[in-house]
Amino acid sequence: MKVIISGGGTGGHIFPAVAIAKCLQGKYPECKILFIGALGKMEMQKVPAEGFDIVGLNIVGFQRRHLLKNLTLPFKMYSCSKKARKILKDFSPDVVIGVGGYASWATLSQAQKLGIPTLLQEQNSFAGKSNQILSKRADIICTAYDDMQRFFPKEKIVKTGNPVRKNISTLKENLVSLRHQALEHYSFTPEKRTVLVVGGSLGARTINDSVQASLQYFIDKDIQLLWQTGKFYYQSILSSLDEKIAKHPNIRITEFIKDMPLAYSLADVIISRAGALSISELCQVGKPTILVPSPNVAEDHQRKNAMALTSHNAAIMVLDKDLQNSFVSTLSSVLEDEDLRETLSQNISKLAIFDSDEQIVERVVSLIRK
């Protein structure tokens, strides 16, 4: 079996792709897997670190803020498509999987022209234009949300969910031991309530500003805070804080949380962006969640992801523009209402799909057999 997986650009595309590759490798050890990504993007480091080969295309997306930069886009697209076609012919895959991102379009469009079976894995509740076009000739489309026939041919859709890291999907089984480790690791007190704030690996300005303005609230209410600032904001936040607050026993500030299961195990309430991968993880974690969708994404898809949860009363959504004025009141309303937390926890857990990677691999194999 030979499989090409193409896409990347963000962790939301890369982590599901790696999860699919690992599942394929685990079930079929002789399977040959090649990734195709975009030069200069994070997949060029992340994928090899997971033990897989990757080839990079010199491709960029449409620049909405710098229109003049798009003048060279047709030439780059032609060059990338030509290179993708050569890779496909040389590697001769049985199937090509697209997970979204710049490279995915060039690779899958060429695979479809060559008559190679293609499978799309759409993480978001609102499909991008590229995947909508590719879906017309794709064989199978794996989605994470209901009602995706708005974007794709209904007969091709299979709801599989988004693959997440194994240490997340097994969190509930190991919750007691993980929580014990986490309390020791962060020197937190088990009797106190804990809030986890994550704005992505790079950080989220509005979330960080809102948390920073509310640090006294956590101290006054004796609530523990584990706050991932992201690498763009960490140093400036630390340098601007009063030392007594920054080193208060209730406050833990970190640039990046490497062990997310530990962090999730501690949380009584989670505040997060609404990226597709984050939401899939949060459904499996099953904790009360406040979602703050990023306004700086294509098609406003994070807000639509969040609405897919709020429509099931499975999360609270606060728009980015409203967060600073309502941060404390929203957080307090969740922390002080045990019935609400229980309802949110139960409803978000109902939306979890735990075997997404295996379901997608089953479809991959069915395509090859067909």
Side-chain angles (χ1 to χ4, degrees), residues 6-8 36-39 43 55-57 59 84 100-109:
S6 186
I36 300 179
L39 290 172
E43 61 263 26
V55 181
L57 302 178
I59 190 168
Y102 299 145
S104 185
W105 163 259
T107 306
L108 267 77
S109 60

Side-chain angles (χ1 to χ4, degrees), residues 306-315:
M307 287 173 66
L309 266 64
T310 58
S311 66
H312 290 87
N313 197 20

Side-chain angles (χ1 to χ4, degrees), residues 86-136:
K86 185 177 188 308
I87 295 167
L88 289 162
K89 285 187 170 182
D90 290 346
F91 190 75
S92 189
D94 297 296
V95 65
V96 177
I97 302 168
V99 295
Y102 299 145
S104 185
W105 163 259
T107 306
L108 267 77
S109 60
Q110 290 303 309
Q112 289 173 351
K113 288 177 182 177
L114 291 168
I116 301 168
T118 56
L119 179 147
L120 292 177
Q121 201 265 318
E122 173 59 62
Q123 295 97 18
N124 291 297
S125 63
F126 192 93
K129 295 293 184 187
S130 295
N131 273 359
Q132 289 185 50
I133 297 169
L134 289 169
S135 71
K136 294 173 184 176

